[in-house]
Every structure is written in C-alpha cells, then in structure tokens.
Amino acid sequence: MPSSRALSVAQVGARVGVPIVIFLGCAMILSRQVPSDILLTLPAQLAGIASWQWGLAAVFTAGSFFAVAQYDVQAHRALGTKVPDGRARITGAVGIAIGQTVGFGLVSGALARWRMLPELNVGQALKLSTMVSLSFVIAWACLTGLVCLVLPAPVWTSALSVGALVLVPGLAALLFFRPTLTFGSRAIHLPSLRISASILGWALVDMAMAAATLWVLLPAGTMPFVTLLPLFMIALGCGLMSNTPGGVGPFELVLVTAIPVGTEAEVLAGILAFRAVYYALPALCAMLAMLRPLTKPKSMTSHPAHWHDLPSSEAQALRQNDGCVEVSAAGGPVAIWSTSQTRTLFTDPGNRANARMLSWLQRRARSQGRIPLIYKSGARLAHAARRAQWAVLHIADDAIIDVKDYTLDVPARRRLRRKLRAVTSAGVTLRSGCAPPLKDAERLDAQWQAQCGSARGGSMGRYCPDYVSDQWVVSAYSDTELIGFASFHRGASDWCLDIMRHAPDAPDGTMHALVHHAIQDAHAEGFTRVSLASVIACPNGSSAFWRWAAQKALIAAGGSGLRQFKSAFAPRWVPRYAAAPTWLSMIIGMADIARVIRNPIPLAAPKTSPAHHQDENYELASHSAA
C-alpha cells in the first residue's frame, strides 16, 4: 500500500502537472489555428495600439480591481474577522493580483493576505482565500449563464443559461433555509443573502470592467462589446478551471476560436496588451505593496454590559439564542440578536430610541453583511424610524401590569377572581422564589411539548434548568406533585413572563394563579411593572389583507386563547413594532425571524450556557402556545 507521503507527492505532482498539460494542449491547438507568420506581426500590432487605448484600459483595470477588492470586504464580513473595510480592500486587491497572475490562487492569494494582514494567522488567511475563490466561481457560473441568456452568445451556451436559471433561485433558497451546513462535527456557516447579492453585483462589475479593458485594446470594429462580454466570461471561466497562471492557454483559445476569421493577429495583440495591463501591472503593484505590509491595528478595549442592565427584562430572552448585549453609539446597553440574515435590535431601548440608534444599527449590520432590523420596539423608536423613511409595522401588543395599581377588586378582573377561587377550591398550593425539582419540571415540559408541539426558539423559549435557575419561578402543586410552573425574567425595574408549563390534568385556573402570585411577588420585591409578554396585533385594521394575515398568524400562534388568558388580568396594552430600511428588508428579516423561531439552534449542554424561555411571545410561532 503506498505511503501517505507518496500520495501527497502524487497529489502535488498532479496539481502542478495538470495545468502544464492543459497549457501545452491549448498551445498546440492555437498553433494550428494561428499561422506562424501572424505571430511575427504581433510587435507591429502592439505598437499600433494608441496611447489613449492604454490609458483607458488602465482606468477600466482600476475599476475592475476596485470591484475585485470588495470580495474580501464581503468575505471578512461573513467570517466575522472584524477587519475594517479599507484594510480588507487593500489586501483583497493585493491577494487577487498575485493569485491570478502566478496561478494556484488559493495558496498564493492566502500567503499574500497573510503577509499584508498581521492580525490574521495562516489558517484564517487560507479560509479567507478559499471563501473568495469559491464565491467568485459560483458568482461566475450564475452571471455567465444569465449574461449568455440576454446577450448574443454561441448556441451551445444555452446549457449555461438553463443551469443559471436553476442555480440562482436554488442558492437563494439554500442560503435562507439552510444557512448552516453540517458535515460530521463541523459546521459551515454560509454567507447571508445580502453578502451573496453584493458578491454577485461586484462580480458583474469586475467582469464587465475586465472585458472593457480587453475591448478597448482591440481594433475598432473587431466586435461589439455586448458580443465580447459573454465570450470573455466564458474564456475567463475556462482559464479559472484550468488553474494555469492567469488562465493562459484556455483563455486565448476560447477567444481566438470565437473571433471572425482574419482578425487573429489583432486579437492576439489585444490579449497580450490586456495581460500586460490587467495582470502584469497589478501584480507588480501588489509585490511592491507586500514589501511594506499593513501595520497591526491597536486593540480596542470594550466595556461589557450585563443583561440586567437592559431597559427591558424581556431582552433576556436572547440569552439562549445567540443574543448579546452591546453598548450602542447612542449610549447605554442594547440587546442584539444576530440571525443568518439580520442584525436585530430586540425590544425597546428606552430613552435611547432616536435616529442615532438607527444609524448605529445600520453600521453594525453592514459590518456583518446583514439586514438591520428592529423587532418589538416601542412607539418612540418606531416614530424615529418613520422619520428616517424606514418601513414600520405594528406587529404585537404587550400586556403590561402596573404593579402599584394592581388589585382584584375591579370589574375587569372578575374572570380572574373566578379562576383563582377555582384553584383554591381544588387545593392547589403555590411556591415561589426557587426552581421546581428538575425531574418534575422536565416531566411537565415533555408533557407540554407532546400536547402543544416542540418548543420554539428565537425570541421564545425552551426549558433548560440552568436558565430557569436564574429566573423567578412560581410553582403549583397538588399535594406534593408538581402540576405547573411559570418563570419570569427580572430586570432593573420590571419582570417579564417567560415560559409556562402545566400538566394536562391541572385544575382550570392554575396558570392564572401562578401569574397572579408572581405579580404579588414583584410588588413585594419593589418592582413597578410586570409584562405578560406579547400577543399578535393587526398592523392595519382597515386593510383586508392585514386582517387576513393577522388572523392566519393568530391561528398559527395558538388561536385567541393567549389574548383571552392575558386579558383576564386587565393589562395595559402597549403596541410593539418592527422596522427595517425597506419593505424588502422587512419581508426578508421577518421571514428569517420566523425561520429561527420555528427551527431554533440546539440547546447548549447543561452547566455550559444559560438558556431562555419565552413561550408567551407567539408573534410568529405556531401552535406552541401555553
């Protein structure tokens, strides 16, 4: 059996030998198509290129490399390296200029990036180079097929067009519905739709500018630009797949084969001039740049904030779901929730709800290639978003109990009084301030999920003992048997209802009694407000569409029972809003929020990460209503 070293030597030999064989094969074919006497005229043809053509070609090359540099910007955003855009553009242009000229762009480009960015290690540079290379190949496949569909192209390219029409929507669906691919124990996070769209856009600019560089170096009338562009993109792809330095061989073969007969000398001269301007000159500039790599940036000290510092205790819902607390440019901590497509400001930021908050959120979202989204904000931030011409939507109403004014002796709470009397008659006892027994709580959670469906994630919750141990929990017992419990987030000035679990045979009114008891506990602890979390709202009652949509969402969230349950406490209903820069951003962002809620990330193992439970927030959930 051959040794692993022998296999590695064979692999390296194949990687080096195959491009050489491809180049020699293309050279042999070209030698048959292009007579030797034509090659002798190339110096004269090059001398005939006017100075304005060289100058315009240099301008188009600069434009192409500006677009090329954006690949690294998007890759850094996707990988979360926190490298500023300016540094990413410089290193991207250098890495691609070196990689496309010397060949083996994956390795040579990674080495160039590693040299230019001292804050990256070799592994990070290789990962960055891999993402840039793969994303460009995919972008090339999509764009080449679409360009061949709309511009004059050879008949045989129809297969590329059909492939692109299938590939583009298929990739979009994959990036949205399966943003993380798992291979064994390794998870690969795919770029967001926003990053992918940016890569496609910059790739089109890049290839159009590169084709324009070649076009201006050809004699006038050789072929229209709209005819050259698809041929250029096909030739570029053939060169990429050959892995020869600069695509030498396949690139020339495709173009020379497709040009009109009798213009071989002019086209070859144009290609030689193109290689000098587009490959040799940028590579020379890149090598000079690598003599003095960028200096390592100074590390910035951050001041961490705590979940309990947030204006709303409901924001603690994100502790189980990749949320974090950040200090915004507007001042003070805010809850940030990053999904695959969005960077979401969750819940109301209090008195920091202003235009500065919107600008800060947009910058932070752009730095990660995500959509800025506001989810469940108050009226003040929604008003600021409207003034900034954002799309704003009334999505929910929070049920707020003002603890100091809370009393049972009002007509609006007569149904609550009846429920509490029934629980008292059934002999149910309540205990608060400590977590219920683990096995009993897990049993109730399993029974609840069997009856109501799997617990949702995102801004909603799943039972986890580590997390519940950090909450205020009220438990209900029938004799010594646990029959229900409710947990509450605790903030600086308020509590918020989180999860509720009850046995199928628990007496009617058990959950009412748990919440009523917690409100009394909050009053005793000196808190002024208890939120019973939110229920779905109709964004526009005068619109038949929104009435229909709200009704469908309400049914999916468990029907009207949740609102009826909370209405028994006669709460003060406070509107909550979603906002995004455009309606398209709103649709994508809210759809991504719904996806995360229905398909939450796996819970961390006990004792490793606090969990969150917010089963009372059913804005976008299905039948998992308590």
Side-chain angles (χ1 to χ4, degrees):
M1 185 175 181
S3 64
S4 59
R5 182 174 181 179
L7 286 175
S8 62
V9 171
Q11 290 173 348
V12 172
R15 291 180 181 179
V16 175
V18 169
I20 295 176
V21 171
I22 293 174
F23 170 74
L24 293 176
C26 292
M28 290 178 60
I29 298 173
L30 278 172
S31 66
R32 296 176 181 177
Q33 290 187 245
V34 182
S36 58
D37 58 336
I38 290 181
L39 298 178
L40 297 176
T41 65
L42 289 180
Q45 295 289 344
L46 288 171
I49 298 177
S51 57
W52 68 266
Q53 289 177 282
W54 290 104
L56 195 55
V59 171
F60 284 134
T61 296
S64 176
F65 269 84
F66 178 81
V68 158
Q70 308 303 320
Y71 301 156
D72 274 62
V73 172
Q74 303 305 322
H76 280 287
R77 291 175 178 177
L79 296 175
T81 63
K82 298 182 180 180
V83 172
D85 291 355
R87 294 170 67 87
R89 290 189 189 97
I90 295 172
T91 56
V94 170
I96 292 176
I98 294 295
Q100 73 174 10
T101 302
V102 305
F104 306 101
L106 197 64
V107 176
S108 58
L111 292 175
R113 292 177 174 92
W114 178 46
R115 167 70 176 168
M116 291 297 295
L117 283 179
E119 64 263 41
L120 295 186
N121 57 41
V122 178
Q124 290 174 315
L126 185 59
K127 185 183 294 184
L128 184 69
S129 184
T130 301
M131 180 177 176
V132 170
S133 299
L134 287 178
S135 61
F136 177 75
V137 170
I138 295 172
W140 169 85
C142 296
L143 293 172
T144 301
L146 296 177
V147 167
C148 290
L149 180 65
V150 298
L151 296 181
V155 177
W156 57 267
T157 60
S158 58
L160 290 174
S161 299
V162 173
L165 292 175
V166 175
L167 184 61
V168 171
L171 282 175
L174 176 66
L175 294 173
F176 184 84
F177 293 105
R178 291 293 301 275
T180 301
L181 301 180
T182 304
F183 300 94
S185 60
R186 177 172 297 181
I188 298 178
H189 301 285
L190 301 179
S192 67
L193 288 173
R194 184 172 183 174
I195 288 177
S196 302
S198 296
I199 290 174
L200 278 177
W202 287 116
L204 181 59
V205 174
D206 165 30
M207 288 184 279
M209 287 287 185
T213 303
L214 174 60
W215 185 66
V216 298
L217 293 170
L218 296 175
T222 302
M223 66 176 65
F225 179 75
V226 293
T227 303
L228 176 64
L229 180 58
L231 293 175
F232 177 88
M233 296 174 72
I234 294 169
L236 181 65
C238 292
L240 286 173
M241 289 182 283
S242 71
N243 209 28
T244 60
V248 175
F251 182 83
E252 285 79 2
L253 181 60
V254 171
L255 289 178
V256 171
T257 303
I259 62 172
V261 177
T263 60
E264 292 87 351
E266 293 86 347
V267 171
L268 283 177
I271 292 175
L272 286 177
F274 169 76
R275 290 200 172 280
V277 175
Y278 194 82
Y279 287 89
L281 183 60
L284 178 61
C285 295
M287 287 187 288
L288 292 175
M290 289 177 64
L291 294 177
R292 292 196 63 180
L294 301 175
T295 58
K296 189 173 183 177
K298 295 180 179 180
S299 59
M300 302 294 292
T301 57
S302 59
H303 303 282
H306 194 271
W307 289 100
H308 294 287
D309 298 330
L310 294 169
S312 171
S313 62
E314 184 182 5
Q316 299 174 33
L318 300 183
R319 286 193 289 173
Q320 185 184 15
N321 301 287
D322 281 349
C324 64
V325 180
E326 294 187 7
V327 178
S328 72
V334 291
I336 295 297
W337 179 15
S338 293
T339 67
S340 61
Q341 309 300 331
T342 75
R343 185 169 181 83
T344 299
L345 174 64
F346 181 63
T347 70
D348 192 72
N351 57 10
R352 292 177 292 279
N354 52 38
R356 289 183 61 198
M357 180 69 71
L358 300 178
S359 300
W360 173 81
L361 180 63
Q362 283 187 297
R363 291 194 302 270
R364 296 293 292 167
R366 184 173 61 250
S367 70
Q368 294 185 345
R370 291 185 169 97
I371 295 170
L373 183 70
I374 295 170
Y375 186 61
K376 294 193 66 181
S377 80
R380 182 176 177 179
L381 188 57
H383 183 59
R386 284 196 183 96
R387 288 201 306 269
Q389 297 185 340
W390 281 34
V392 178
L393 199 63
H394 177 202
I395 59 170
D397 291 318
D398 268 0
I400 303 298
I401 300 295
D402 297 310
V403 173
K404 290 184 178 179
D405 300 328
Y406 179 75
T407 176
L408 292 177
D409 299 327
V410 293
R413 297 191 176 104
R414 58 180 178 273
R415 187 160 60 92
L416 176 60
R417 293 195 298 270
R418 186 167 61 252
K419 295 286 186 180
L420 296 178
R421 285 195 298 270
V423 170
T424 302
S425 301
V428 174
T429 58
L430 304 177
R431 303 174 191 172
S432 61
C434 60
L438 176 60
K439 291 185 177 179
D440 292 340
E442 289 179 342
R443 170 181 54 82
L444 283 187
D445 181 62
Q447 291 175 346
W448 181 87
Q449 293 195 61
Q451 180 180 10
C452 301
S454 299
R456 303 305 185 184
S459 62
M460 301 166 60
R462 295 158 286 171
Y463 174 75
C464 177
D466 290 348
Y467 181 74
V468 170
S469 65
D470 192 44
Q471 294 183 314
W472 187 270
V473 182
V474 182
S475 306
Y477 292 84
S478 177
D479 294 330
T480 59
E481 180 184 2
L482 180 71
I483 59 173
F485 66 90
S487 67
F488 290 77
H489 300 297
R490 291 180 292 177
S493 61
D494 72 327
W495 287 13
C496 181
L497 178 63
D498 191 22
I499 70 168
M500 300 182 70
R501 298 289 186 264
H502 59 86
D505 57 349
D508 182 38
T510 299
M511 306 315 294
H512 294 78
L514 291 172
V515 173
H516 171 70
H517 197 277
I519 294 172
Q520 293 179 315
D521 290 341
H523 185 269
E525 294 287 324
F527 289 85
T528 60
R529 188 174 69 251
V530 174
S531 169
L532 304 186
S534 59
V535 294
I536 291 172
C538 179
N540 183 1
S542 62
S543 168
F545 168 77
W546 284 118
R547 291 197 303 271
W548 171 83
Q551 182 65 26
K552 292 295 182 181
L554 187 64
I555 293 173
S560 59
L562 190 60
R563 179 176 283 273
Q564 291 177 353
F565 170 79
K566 296 177 182 182
S567 296
F569 295 87
R572 174 169 54 90
W573 295 101
V574 177
R576 298 300 180 193
Y577 301 87
T582 65
W583 282 109
L584 179 60
S585 299
M586 174 77 79
I587 293 170
I588 296 174
M590 294 298 287
D592 199 45
I593 293 290
R595 180 192 60 80
V596 174
I597 289 175
R598 289 172 171 79
N599 301 282
I601 60 174
L603 284 172
K607 303 302 180 184
T608 59
S609 173
H612 151 255
H613 317 280
Q614 182 138 359
D615 294 307
E616 297 312 305
N617 281 354
Y618 287 98
E619 301 93 340
L620 298 171
S622 67
H623 186 59
S624 303

